[in-house]
Amino acid sequence: MQNTDGRSFPELVSELETLVEEVASLAKESENGLFFEFSLLLNKLVPILSDIRDNKDVMDTVTIRKAIESLEKELRRAKTLIESPDSKQANIWIEDVIQDIGRSVGLMLFASIDLHLDMKEKIGALHKEFMNVRFDASLSPSSSPSHESEFVSATASEREIEEERIEIEEEGTNLTINDVVLHLKYGNDEEFNFALFSFNESVRQGLITNEWINEEGIILILVNRLGSCKPNNRLIILQILRKLALENAENKEKMADAASLSALVKSLTRDVEERREAVGLLLDLSDLPAVWRRLGRIQGCIVMLVTMLNGDDQIASENAGKLLNALSSNTQNALHMAEAGYFKPLVHYLKEGSDMSKILMATAISRMELTDQSRTSLGEDGAVEPLVKMFNAGKLEAKLSALNALQNLSILPENIQRLISSGIVVSLLQLLFSVTSVLMTLREPASAILARIAQSESILVNQDVAQQMLSLLNLSSPVIQYHLLQALNSIAGHSSASKVRRKMKENGAIQLLLPFLTESNAKIRTGALNLLYTLSKYLPEELTEQLGESHLNIIVNIISSTSLESDQAAAVGILSNIPISNNKVTEVLKKANLLPILISTMTSSPSTLTSTWHWLAEGVAGILIRFTIPSDKRLQLLAAQNEVIPLLVKLLSSGSLVAKCRAATSLAQLSQNSLSLRKSKKSSWFCVPPSTTAFCEVHDGYCFVKNTFCLVKAGAIPSLIQILEGKDREADEAVLNAIATLLQDEIWESGSNFIAKKSGVGAIIKILESTTVKAQEKALWILERIFKVEEHRVKYGESAQVVLIDLAQNGDPRLKSSTAKLLAQLELLQEQSSYF
């Protein structure tokens, strides 16, 4: 057999012998002791090569030639390293070089398996000797160790691993070609392991022909074993298959059937290295149209690819992205990718696909159960703009699918801004005004999108949008009415919508909405209630002008009869926003028995304090301010008899900050009359003397919660002080006003003692540092009275002086005089000071 480079077999072997002797001589002459042992090993190769040359008739085969060429390549590399200036660092690379030469010897052994020559044992022994070499990497050439000490054993764990590998290699190199095929097909784990090693080494060195692989059906054998072999062997199989796929297009075809692809897809679910090899192989196969058609139908394939795309393995992620891109040429695959959370292919079809593809993708978006993260991805990938374009320019089917898709995307605030920027608002309103029967099916999704868009203040750039919606209210179906009411409520609630609200009032919005309070459709009634509540916050006087007694009774009836807590909260909120000064409204509400309804509503509320419950509680607390005004003791008595005071005290600890503030205001109003309503100790009014527990240490008489509205007997003071000790400051003024009622002229001393007894003085001093000016004024007034008592002045004066001095120097000018009086009380400032 003539070699392709022109050398005969004897020439090839002779030149290799010469190269071995040359490298051995160089190694022996080197000053490095490690090279001496290397030269001894190389010298053992010479007689083996001589035997091979002498038996050229049986040894001159393709596989032997390839093994010799591999050995020649490794020896030339060794020669270059020995001759290089870095040869003194041989301890770093010598072990790898020797083992690479050992592998080439192993290939020579594998190539001679079927020849049954005696030299096989010599080649096997030398192969083992090369592969067993270990050097101590810590030894440097300058240490000049003895030849015996240059070869050291590995650690126990390294030795075990290496020994296992060398068993595998020996078994693999002793297998015949027929053995390899049989063990790959039917072998147990151990036999398969040996055969796979042998086959892999042969493939790596190019010793196996593609014809033989085809004849033996090796590709199918390897694919079939993927599902049953051990993880390490699966990895080797995938690496072999990748090499075979890259070498030959016919090999790719053999891996492209549905069963083979399914087996490869399973490897996408396994460990990192196996996933990486599997996705690389599938990418190599993806240039076959049949592959990407079949892959998309394999359950879990696209989901796993998307997972890998988003994973930490950069190589696997990049290959998964490329494979997904290849698969996305099929629209059904693009939809599967979207379902798995990868939307770029879907968006690509929305932008550049055919009309039918666009409708298909838009319909898919409308039907998907999207998460906010998915909506974010679709928005960022650019889905909104082509959908708006479809709505504006497409035919009816395209318009409908685009609107439904936008309705799903508009749940996310970021996409609302994209919709506004696209200029869709005008188009939506035009559609709602349309009377064309063909377009009627589009009006409901259009109104739903408008309701979402209205949540953004950016909608106010369209100044007339609210007026247009109002004019549509009585001309629309219930579904559209509900969405319009939602949109109007959002618009009216924007902080910068004062002009819009004024126009709504001028155009009769309140009159238009009131009839909806008796609407049988619960959703529409809810929408109208919410909008009226929003308007009542900003237009209380205007609302009151429109509310007749019948309307007030309808609202009270909603509170008492509805099971929807949100409707109750909106109705209560409307009533709480009516100005307290309107006595006519008070009489109507009293006549309608509102108080017992409110108390019943609050006591029957769920134990879980939801945001709606807090909204309801804030409204109730607001209404109770109307029923506790100090100027009407009879009204206060009615409130107290209806158990209002325990509810107010409860709200001090469980309500929102707004509810606490309003509850404290009501309690302050009630407490203003406690002193005049108390029963004197000497009173002959009692038929039976009251119990000692009824005596009030602050009011110096007998107090009863329902009759004298006493904060002490109601147990309100600890809750009021607790609010002062909290972090939020918005309720301070109302709380201090309530506490101040215990310091009226006749009772200031006993009130001071009680506040001190309840640890309130420190809390009052503390809030001076951070509360509002009005609250500071009230706190200074309270402290001025408390510090009239020498005991309190001595106990709290030192902690107060730091705050007071800072307040005198840096506080609001309006506090200057009252702060100076307190400092004078504490003898820190003369009464003639310029601070007064």
Side-chain angles (χ1 to χ4, degrees):
M1 181 183 288
Q2 189 70 25
N3 191 26
T4 53
D5 64 2
R7 292 181 292 176
S8 66
F9 185 74
E11 289 174 338
L12 182 69
V13 179
S14 295
E15 289 176 12
L16 182 61
E17 285 182 77
T18 303
L19 179 60
V20 169
E21 291 170 348
E22 183 181 354
V23 175
S25 176
L26 281 171
K28 186 175 181 180
E29 293 170 1
S30 171
E31 296 178 359
N32 194 318
L34 300 179
F35 288 162
F36 181 81
E37 297 297 339
F38 182 33
S39 69
L40 294 179
L41 281 172
L42 289 177
N43 285 329
K44 294 179 181 180
L45 259 175
V46 176
I48 291 175
L49 292 173
S50 180
D51 286 345
I52 291 173
R53 176 168 44 79
D54 293 343
N55 290 278
K56 65 180 188 300
D57 293 337
V58 291
M59 295 298 290
D60 187 6
T61 66
V62 172
T63 52
I64 286 289
R65 280 179 174 271
K66 285 188 176 292
I68 290 172
E69 288 168 359
S70 172
L71 185 56
E72 183 181 37
K73 176 183 173 184
E74 296 300 338
L75 284 166
R76 293 194 185 282
R77 183 165 75 96
K79 178 184 176 184
T80 302
L81 290 170
I82 293 170
E83 292 176 335
S84 72
D86 293 331
S87 65
K88 292 183 179 180
Q89 302 297 322
N91 56 308
I92 297 174
W93 51 259
I94 186 68
E95 185 177 308
D96 288 339
V97 169
I98 292 174
Q99 291 191 357
D100 286 341
I101 293 173
R103 290 188 183 92
S104 296
V105 173
L107 291 172
M108 192 182 297
L109 175 64
F110 178 73
S112 65
I113 292 295
D114 292 337
L115 302 177
H116 304 294
L117 300 176
D118 293 338
M119 71 181 72
K120 184 172 68 173
E121 291 184 5
K122 295 179 182 178
I123 297 173
L126 185 58
H127 166 252
K128 184 174 181 179
E129 196 169 347
F130 268 99
M131 299 307 294
N132 275 337
V133 167
R134 290 294 178 273
F135 290 102
D136 186 348
S138 66
L139 293 177
S140 64
S142 61
S143 63
S144 300
S146 65
H147 299 320
E148 290 80 5
S149 64
E150 287 173 3
F151 288 87
V152 296
S153 63
T155 62
S157 59
E158 289 173 336
R159 185 166 58 248
E160 289 170 6
I161 294 170
E162 182 58 24
E163 284 175 357
E164 182 182 353
R165 186 178 68 80
I166 293 171
E167 283 168 14
I168 292 172
E169 288 186 2
E170 286 176 348
E171 289 290 333
T173 52
N174 284 310
L175 292 175
T176 67
I177 292 294
N178 290 333
D179 290 337
V180 168
V181 175
L182 285 173
H183 288 341
L184 287 178
K185 278 185 178 179
Y186 309 114
N188 57 30
D189 286 344
E190 187 176 0
E191 291 168 339
F192 180 76
N193 206 16
F194 297 148
L196 188 63
F197 167 79
S198 176
F199 181 73
N200 188 36
E201 282 296 307
S202 299
V203 169
R204 191 171 70 86
Q205 295 296 329
L207 302 178
I208 299 294
T209 64
N210 209 63
E211 290 74 18
W212 180 82
I213 290 172
N214 288 335
E215 288 173 6
E216 298 295 340
I218 295 297
I219 289 175
L220 184 59
I221 293 171
L222 293 176
V223 171
N224 287 340
R225 289 303 296 257
L226 265 178
S228 60
C229 64
K230 292 181 178 179
N232 188 53
N233 286 336
R234 287 200 301 267
L235 183 62
I236 296 173
I237 289 174
L238 291 169
Q239 291 168 342
I240 293 172
L241 290 175
R242 285 194 74 179
K243 183 174 177 59
L244 296 178
L246 291 173
E247 286 180 353
N248 188 287
E250 191 177 347
N251 290 341
K252 285 187 179 182
E253 294 286 352
K254 289 182 171 59
M255 302 177 206
D257 64 282
S260 297
L261 292 174
S262 295
L264 296 176
V265 166
K266 287 180 182 177
S267 287
L268 297 178
T269 65
R270 297 188 173 115
D271 62 44
V272 175
E273 290 188 351
E274 186 173 342
R275 288 202 304 267
R276 186 187 301 158
E277 289 297 331
V279 74
L281 175 55
L282 290 172
L283 179 61
D284 296 337
L285 300 176
S286 66
D287 57 351
L288 300 176
V291 169
W292 51 257
R293 284 199 301 270
R294 289 165 185 161
L295 272 182
R297 293 195 291 267
I298 297 174
Q299 187 174 9
C301 176
I302 286 176
V303 173
M304 283 307 304
L305 289 173
V306 172
T307 302
M308 292 173 73
L309 176 69
N310 299 321
D312 297 328
D313 188 329
Q314 188 173 353
I315 296 173
S317 174
E318 185 178 337
N319 285 338
K322 291 177 181 176
L323 183 53
L324 286 168
N325 186 56
L327 296 178
S328 68
S329 57
N330 178 289
T331 55
Q332 202 61 40
N333 288 345
L335 291 175
H336 289 322
M337 292 174 199
E339 289 168 358
Y342 180 54
F343 299 102
K344 286 184 179 178
L346 179 148
V347 174
H348 173 77
Y349 279 108
L350 278 179
K351 291 178 178 178
E352 301 180 22
S354 65
D355 289 346
M356 281 310 299
S357 294
K358 290 177 180 178
I359 291 171
L360 183 66
M361 299 303 151
T363 303
I365 293 175
S366 68
R367 293 175 179 174
M368 285 180 189
E369 294 184 8
L370 298 174
T371 63
D372 281 351
Q373 185 178 354
S374 298
R375 293 185 180 93
T376 299
S377 296
L378 278 162
E380 290 176 348
D381 290 343
V384 172
E385 293 76 9
L387 287 170
V388 171
K389 188 176 179 181
M390 282 178 67
F391 166 62
N392 285 331
K395 295 180 180 178
L396 181 63
E397 188 180 5
K399 285 180 182 290
L400 184 59
S401 60
L403 274 182
N404 287 330
L406 289 171
Q407 185 176 351
N408 199 350
L409 293 180
S410 65
I411 293 173
L412 188 75
E414 290 87 338
N415 288 336
I416 290 174
Q417 195 55 50
R418 293 184 176 101
L419 280 168
I420 293 171
S421 300
S422 73
I424 197 174
V425 174
V426 174
S427 301
L428 293 173
L429 285 169
Q430 287 174 346
L431 175 60
L432 290 176
F433 277 105
S434 173
V435 293
T436 307
S437 58
V438 177
L439 299 177
M440 296 300 280
T441 54
L442 305 177
R443 298 179 75 204
E444 288 188 5
S447 64
I449 294 169
L450 267 178
R452 298 257 173 76
I453 291 175
Q455 295 171 14
S456 169
E457 288 208 30
S458 300
I459 196 173
L460 297 177
V461 298
N462 304 81
Q463 285 291 321
D464 296 327
V465 66
Q467 312 315 315
Q468 291 175 295
M469 289 182 188
L470 279 171
S471 65
L472 285 166
L473 263 180
N474 286 325
L475 304 173
S476 304
S477 68
V479 173
I480 296 173
Q481 282 180 325
Y482 173 64
H483 289 145
L484 289 174
L485 287 167
Q486 280 186 311
L488 285 164
N489 186 41
S490 294
I491 292 170
H494 293 315
S495 58
S496 58
S498 56
K499 289 182 180 179
V500 175
R501 289 190 291 267
R502 187 171 66 249
K503 283 188 177 180
M504 289 175 71
K505 179 201 73 172
E506 291 169 355
N507 290 327
I510 294 173
Q511 287 175 308
L512 182 66
L513 291 170
L514 288 173
F516 285 107
L517 294 179
T518 55
E519 172 63 52
S520 58
N521 185 304
K523 280 191 168 185
I524 295 175
R525 185 176 65 249
T526 296
L529 268 173
N530 288 335
L531 179 51
L532 281 169
Y533 166 70
T534 300
L535 291 173
S536 73
K537 288 193 293 184
Y538 298 99
L539 304 167
E541 297 288 350
E542 291 81 353
L543 175 68
T544 308
E545 290 173 6
Q546 304 294 329
L547 285 176
E549 184 173 351
S550 60
H551 296 124
L552 291 170
N553 284 323
I554 289 170
I555 294 172
V556 172
N557 186 57
I558 290 173
I559 298 170
S560 63
S561 62
T562 186
S563 58
L564 290 173
E565 194 176 47
S566 58
D567 281 9
Q568 288 178 326
V572 166
I574 292 169
L575 297 180
S576 72
N577 288 329
I578 298 174
I580 292 170
S581 58
N582 192 313
N583 295 327
K584 184 180 178 181
V585 170
T586 303
E587 286 302 313
V588 172
L589 297 179
K590 186 170 72 170
K591 184 179 174 183
N593 290 317
L594 177 62
L595 280 177
I597 291 171
L598 294 180
I599 301 302
S600 173
T601 300
M602 293 302 293
T603 53
S604 62
S605 296
S607 56
T608 305
L609 304 184
T610 62
S611 58
T612 305
W613 183 90
H614 283 299
W615 177 24
L616 175 63
E618 289 170 6
V620 169
I623 292 174
L624 294 182
I625 295 174
R626 171 185 296 279
F627 284 92
T628 57
I629 55 173
S631 59
D632 193 336
K633 291 181 182 177
R634 288 187 178 182
L635 195 60
Q636 285 188 331
L637 184 61
L638 176 67
Q641 295 298 325
N642 277 285
E643 304 293 342
V644 160
I645 294 176
L647 173 60
L648 292 170
V649 174
K650 177 184 176 183
L651 290 177
L652 290 178
S653 56
S654 62
S656 66
L657 204 58
V658 172
K660 289 175 181 178
C661 183
R662 292 175 175 177
T665 299
S666 286
L667 289 170
Q669 292 184 158
L670 289 162
S671 183
Q672 287 179 42
N673 289 323
S674 294
L675 184 60
S676 62
L677 293 172
R678 68 179 175 176
K679 308 302 179 184
S680 171
K681 287 190 289 185
K682 300 177 182 179
S683 174
S684 58
W685 182 83
F686 296 109
C687 297
V688 178
S691 67
T692 54
T693 57
F695 182 76
C696 176
E697 61 186 284
V698 173
H699 295 111
D700 194 28
Y702 295 106
C703 285
F704 307 90
V705 174
K706 289 186 178 181
N707 299 104
T708 66
F709 327 136
C710 175
L711 297 188
V712 175
K713 293 301 178 183
I717 301 302
S719 296
L720 290 167
I721 292 171
Q722 190 174 20
I723 294 172
L724 297 181
E725 292 172 338
K727 295 179 180 179
D728 299 309
R729 304 272 60 90
E730 287 86 343
D732 287 349
E733 186 182 351
V735 168
L736 292 168
N737 284 336
I739 291 174
T741 61
L742 302 187
L743 298 170
Q744 296 176 53
D745 290 344
E746 294 180 40
I747 56 172
W748 68 265
E749 187 170 359
S750 57
S752 296
N753 293 336
F754 186 79
I755 293 168
K757 177 181 175 181
K758 295 298 180 181
S759 304
V761 181
I764 295 168
I765 293 170
K766 179 72 175 171
I767 66 159
L768 278 172
E769 301 176 29
S770 57
T771 193
T772 63
V773 174
K774 285 190 175 182
Q776 286 174 324
E777 284 179 328
K778 184 58 69 172
L780 290 170
W781 183 89
I782 291 171
L783 290 174
E784 188 265 329
R785 298 222 154 186
I786 291 174
F787 284 166
K788 286 182 181 179
V789 180
E790 184 179 1
E791 179 186 348
H792 306 325
R793 198 164 59 243
V794 171
K795 184 174 181 180
Y796 298 103
E798 187 175 347
S799 61
Q801 69 182 37
V802 177
V803 179
L804 292 171
I805 290 171
D806 181 67
L807 205 58
Q809 294 174 342
N810 306 310
D812 190 282
R814 288 171 287 180
L815 306 175
K816 195 172 184 181
S817 178
S818 51
T819 305
K821 286 179 182 178
L822 264 179
L823 288 170
Q825 265 186 291
L826 298 174
E827 299 179 351
L828 294 170
L829 198 66
Q830 293 183 357
E831 293 189 4
Q832 291 78 18
S833 170
S834 60
Y835 275 102
F836 289 95

